[in-house]
Amino acid sequence: MRQVLSVDSIHTFYGNIHALQGISLEVNEGEIVTLIGGNGAGKSTTLNTICGVVHAREGQVVFEGEDITTLPSHDIVLKGITQSPEGRRIFARLSVLENLTLGAYTRRDRAEFKRNLELVFELFPRLKERQTQFGGTLSGGEQQMLAIGRAMMAQPRLLLLDEPSMGLAPILVQEIFTIIDRLNREGTTILLVEQNAQIALSISDRGYVLQAGQIVLTGSGQELLTNPMVREAYLGEL
Amino acid sequence: MAVETQTAPRGLRRRRIRPYQVVQIVVAVSITAFLLYRLQYVLFVDDLYGLDTWTRFLISGLVIGAVYAVIAIGYTLVYGILFMINFAHGEVMMLGAFAAYFVFEALGAIPAGAETSFLNTYPIISIILAFIAGMSVSTGMGLLLERVAYRPLRGGPRLVALISAIGASLFLQNAAQLMFSPRRRAFANPDFLSRGAGFEVMISGRPVLITYTGTFVFVGSLLLLALLYFIIQRTRFGQAVRAIAEDQEAAALMGINVDRVIAQTFALSGAMAGAAGVMWGLHNGIVYHFIGFLPGLKAFTAAVLGGIGNIPGAMVGGLVLGVVEALGPAFLGLDFQLKDVIAFSILVLVLVFRPSGILGEVVAEEKV
Ligand SMILES: Nc1ncnc2c1ncn2[C@@H]1O[C@H](COP(=O)(O)OP(=O)(O)O)[C@@H](O)[C@H]1O
Ligand SMILES: [Mg+2]
């Protein structure tokens, strides 16, 4: 299996806050890997360090054999990593279509753009119906679809998803995860962050458990689902 | 956002009117009453001015207002993306006017044929060259300001950038005074656009002059506004600008080089100011180091009036301000010197009663 991403003991700070304390993880081609952990464990910071929103003070992020630790985020998109960020961050006063067009900002080929747009619309038919609406007028579930669709428009070689189920009704969570699973089966490599550990691990090849900026446990999705500590801490069982 | 300390049961809660609101209401009612009084007075009592005079006022207001609109776009673009008021914008305009002035001077000195100069033999080319020079200088100045005066302060408190902008404004004004002397210079228009010439239309039996420069400036401004609107709404660059205005971090996640787009926005806003400077020179005919100051403040007022950050708002605000300023003194029965007072009273009133401006949404939208 070819390694796509390798994160090597990164330390990330916000001022004096030592948010990541030596995180190491890897993602192989075609995998879907999940990070779980409680609030403030450092999951979003990990994704943001990978895509250059914040930079690691120590350690290395290597993407497809290239050190991207210090690259600015717009260059990292160009390398092939996109993110659907926590809270979706839709451009509320831009139309759905404009949001998707911005997702393809780094890809200038028109034919390719059309193809990717068709793909996204096929994945999320509701976005097609609402393409002229302002992003801000969509429901939470639709906004999440837009955030994922937008990240797919750049045809990423690694897709980062930060809490796609946040604030959604259970039936929508199910729908979103079905699509994430499908994206992965159709060849997209995914690094997923979730609070909803049950559903995330059930579609994941592997997972990591984060606690206070450190990885405390790792294993296959099934192993983690049956691990007593995970069951107790993240699946709400006693 | 309203924070309530006590929650009385619904229905029982009395709406408390704060003293400040009382003042607001009293002021609003008095102003409205006064304006209505003046309206009936001007319409039915006083016949100091005929329809022809009002038309003259209106025309001069539309021309100046169109230039305000072009300048106001620059404020609004930069505010929309950085939430910062570029107070040196008027000076950027002044430098553009100077560049065009020197181009006209130079071309006017080049002989062409026996009696005439390059300027008058090739007036269209000359005007194009003047715009190229004015817009290039102002574009460069916009870029330089962003690089030197604003970028290093980004991420700091917004007040710091504001102070830097005021400093840059004073610096440019004084630098221009040193370089070009405080002398007022007459803009040497090509003959076919000479100031004061124009065509006449008859209104209620009297001739009203529509100047060539005024027509040129008005049409030119509308074209620039349309072009800018197209750039912002329809191009990849414009989309990036709007995305950054909403959420810089998310824009960067789309692969947008935020620093570069911000610099390009300053360049665009500078180019607009440069074009406005050239038009200002052509129409008003005087350049010196101080000409950017008042139009700058007026255009800022126009941008606030239309809703700062809002591009159609700046266009509407500019035209409205120009017209109000031109009609205002006669309408209110005031001295014509007081038109600036009227303009800035509008600024204060807008900030007090409707900070979001005519077309703007509520500014407090979690952006601060
Ligand atoms: N922008 C920020 N400024 C300061 N501290 C932050 C910032 N973002 C996150 N943190 C801190 O970093 C730690 C990790 O946060 P985060 O990565 O958002 O956690 P998670 O996504 O797992 O909930 C937390 O202690 C949080 O308070
Ligand atoms: Mg998070």
Side-chain angles (χ1 to χ4, degrees):
Chain A
M1 249 189 315
R2 205 171 63 93
Q3 201 174 62
V4 174
L5 178 79
S6 143
V7 172
D8 187 15
S9 49
I10 49 170
H11 291 258
T12 301
F13 292 76
Y14 297 101
N16 292 326
I17 301 170
H18 194 170
L20 300 187
Q21 309 178 3
I23 299 276
S24 297
L25 57 86
E26 60 194 53
V27 181
N28 299 309
E29 186 155 33
E31 274 189 321
I32 175 162
V33 174
T34 295
L35 295 180
I36 58 173
N39 251 328
K43 306 181 296 295
S44 299
T45 305
T46 305
L47 294 193
N48 284 336
T49 308
I50 293 169
C51 57
V53 174
V54 286
H55 291 280
R57 198 176 286 181
E58 271 175 61
Q60 252 197 338
V61 181
V62 177
F63 178 63
E64 303 206 311
E66 192 178 346
D67 184 348
I68 60 165
T69 321
T70 57
L71 285 188
S73 42
H74 56 91
D75 282 339
I76 291 177
V77 177
L78 220 50
K79 301 275 176 214
I81 304 180
T82 60
Q83 185 185 176
S84 157
E86 183 175 304
R88 330 199 214 286
R89 310 283 282 267
I90 293 304
F91 300 110
R93 279 172 295 162
L94 270 61
S95 73
V96 167
L97 185 60
E98 284 178 323
N99 270 278
L100 293 172
T101 311
L102 277 168
Y105 187 81
T106 54
R107 321 279 298 198
R108 305 293 292 266
D109 185 318
R110 285 216 50 87
E112 183 195 278
F113 173 81
K114 281 216 169 99
R115 218 170 36 243
N116 289 334
L117 190 64
E118 279 315 307
L119 228 74
V120 168
F121 281 158
E122 197 252 318
L123 221 48
F124 304 109
R126 251 181 293 178
L127 295 184
K128 184 169 189 172
E129 291 163 27
R130 303 204 185 326
Q131 54 180 304
T132 57
Q133 255 172 262
F134 280 138
T137 63
L138 299 184
S139 72
E142 289 162 351
Q143 289 198 5
Q144 186 57 56
M145 294 174 189
L146 181 54
I148 296 175
R150 189 175 65 176
M152 286 302 292
M153 285 298 292
Q155 238 176 287
R157 290 204 296 287
L158 173 64
L159 175 65
L160 310 180
L161 301 174
D162 199 344
E163 303 210 23
S165 76
M166 192 201 262
L168 299 186
I171 183 148
L172 274 173
V173 175
Q174 202 44 256
E175 194 180 330
I176 295 275
F177 271 86
T178 309
I179 287 167
I180 294 172
D181 191 36
R182 180 179 151 195
L183 278 177
N184 177 245
R185 284 173 201 286
E186 289 172 359
T188 308
T189 308
I190 296 174
L191 177 57
L192 172 68
V193 158
E194 257 303 331
Q195 299 257 0
N196 196 330
Q198 172 74 49
I199 189 160
L201 289 174
S202 69
I203 64 164
S204 295
D205 297 302
R206 294 185 299 111
Y208 296 86
V209 180
L210 235 70
Q211 235 170 48
Q214 293 179 320
I215 285 173
V216 291
L217 196 63
T218 174
S220 75
Q222 279 313 308
E223 278 164 13
L224 291 181
L225 270 177
T226 51
N227 180 294
M229 181 213 130
V230 174
R231 294 183 75 88
E232 185 176 331
Y234 303 107
L235 300 176
E237 290 176 19
L238 289 173
Chain B
M1 194 195 304
V3 180
E4 266 166 288
T5 41
Q6 276 180 311
T7 340
R10 251 176 206 292
L12 286 181
R13 200 186 304 168
R14 289 230 305 293
R15 252 186 82 78
R16 280 213 305 278
I17 299 179
R18 293 187 299 276
Y20 176 67
Q21 285 177 318
V22 174
V23 174
Q24 270 198 342
I25 292 167
V26 169
V27 171
V29 169
S30 334
I31 290 178
T32 312
F34 179 66
L35 290 180
L36 286 175
Y37 161 73
R38 284 302 307 179
L39 184 64
Q40 69 81 31
Y41 184 80
V42 166
L43 284 181
F44 306 115
V45 182
D46 181 48
D47 52 1
L48 194 57
Y49 304 112
L51 193 58
D52 57 320
T53 310
W54 287 110
T55 310
R56 275 182 214 111
F57 291 151
L58 181 67
I59 290 172
S60 91
L62 284 174
V63 172
I64 294 296
V67 182
Y68 288 162
V70 174
I71 309 175
I73 289 285
Y75 282 105
T76 254
L77 270 180
V78 167
Y79 185 87
I81 204 164
L82 284 182
F83 307 114
M84 187 207 103
I85 312 281
N86 177 14
F87 268 116
H89 193 57
E91 275 56 54
V92 174
M93 171 213 154
M94 174 268 294
L95 291 171
F98 262 109
Y101 165 82
F102 285 119
V103 167
F104 281 161
E105 288 294 305
L107 296 179
I110 298 175
E115 291 286 293
T116 176
S117 63
F118 184 94
L119 183 65
N120 284 314
T121 317
Y122 306 105
I124 305 286
I125 296 179
S126 300
I127 286 178
I128 292 174
L129 287 176
F131 271 95
I132 291 177
M135 291 171 83
S136 310
V137 164
S138 295
T139 303
M141 189 46 67
L143 284 170
L144 190 69
L145 275 177
E146 193 269 334
R147 202 56 210 243
V148 174
Y150 307 141
R151 190 182 294 195
L153 303 173
R154 222 151 77 202
R158 292 200 292 166
L159 188 60
V160 174
L162 193 68
I163 291 167
S164 180
I166 292 171
S169 163
L170 291 174
F171 173 83
L172 290 177
Q173 235 176 66
N174 285 287
Q177 183 178 3
L178 278 178
M179 280 190 295
F180 308 129
S181 89
R183 188 159 63 83
R184 292 166 180 243
R185 300 152 187 262
F187 224 71
N189 291 12
D191 286 342
F192 91 105
L193 264 188
S194 49
R195 279 181 299 284
F199 40 91
E200 284 181 347
V201 291
M202 298 305 274
I203 293 198
S204 61
R206 297 203 194 83
V208 170
L209 182 72
I210 299 179
T211 60
Y212 296 136
T213 53
T215 312
F216 177 84
V217 166
F218 187 70
V219 173
S221 298
L222 293 193
L223 288 178
L224 281 171
L225 295 177
L227 176 69
L228 190 110
Y229 194 72
F230 175 83
I231 291 176
I232 295 299
Q233 291 301 326
R234 284 286 126 81
T235 65
R236 183 174 120 102
F237 164 73
Q239 231 170 41
V241 169
R242 286 182 290 138
I244 294 174
E246 273 200 50
D247 187 338
Q248 271 194 30
E249 204 174 283
L253 284 178
M254 302 297 107
I256 296 170
N257 184 339
V258 174
D259 281 349
R260 187 194 295 160
V261 173
I262 288 178
Q264 288 166 342
T265 305
F266 271 87
L268 181 61
S269 124
M272 286 281 159
V278 181
M279 295 192 292
W280 189 267
L282 279 168
H283 187 61
N284 289 342
I286 292 171
V287 255
Y288 64 110
H289 64 281
F290 204 58
I291 57 159
F293 184 72
L294 262 190
L297 279 184
K298 296 284 181 61
F300 169 65
T301 305
V304 172
L305 176 63
I308 186 128
N310 180 316
I311 286 165
M315 302 178 177
V316 172
L319 286 168
V320 169
L321 186 73
V323 169
V324 166
E325 193 184 85
L327 301 182
F331 182 73
L332 299 177
L334 298 172
D335 193 300
F336 286 95
Q337 307 279 313
L338 289 178
K339 71 177 174 43
D340 298 340
V341 176
I342 293 178
F344 298 128
S345 308
I346 288 180
L347 177 60
V348 173
L349 291 177
V350 170
L351 288 175
V352 170
F353 288 104
R354 194 172 157 82
S356 57
I358 302 174
L359 299 187
E361 61 236 86
V362 181
V363 181
E365 206 189 80
E366 290 131 40
K367 267 177 192 163
V368 186

